Amino acid sequence: MPFGHGRRRADAGSQDIYDRTDFDGILYMSRITNKQCVAVYDRATAGLEADSPALDLPRLSALGLILDALQVTVIPRE
């Protein structure tokens, strides 16, 4: 399979789910790491209302604990 072919199929599948459902996102298994991943669609934020200004997440003291509990790994941009 040519490099990127699997990614194109996954993107097309995600687009199909987006187009045919009202889901805010999906959970899926990474074919690279074999770990659970989450994709949050843009429409997930449409109904959110903030009572206060957004926080600078890296400064949120509990962020590490929250991410650990959710088993989320943040990978910095290169």
Side-chain angles (χ1 to χ4, degrees):
M1 178 181 324
F3 179 75
H5 180 70
R7 173 66 187 256
R8 285 191 297 275
R9 278 192 351 204
D11 288 348
S14 179
Q15 184 66 53
D16 193 42
I17 292 169
Y18 182 93
D19 293 342
R20 295 174 182 254
T21 72
D22 61 353
F23 296 168
D24 289 335
I26 57 173
L27 293 173
Y28 64 96
M29 294 300 290
S30 168
R31 66 182 177 81
I32 298 169
T33 65
N34 198 36
K35 294 188 178 186
Q36 194 173 50
C37 299
V38 62
V40 179
Y41 297 136
D42 58 350
R43 64 176 162 228
T45 61
L48 296 178
E49 293 183 26
D51 292 338
S52 60
L55 296 173
D56 182 10
L57 285 181
R59 294 181 59 208
L60 182 63
S61 63
L63 181 62
L65 295 173
I66 294 167
L67 294 178
D68 288 345
L70 295 171
Q71 298 179 346
V72 171
T73 301
V74 176
I75 301 171
R77 291 183 186 178
E78 293 180 9

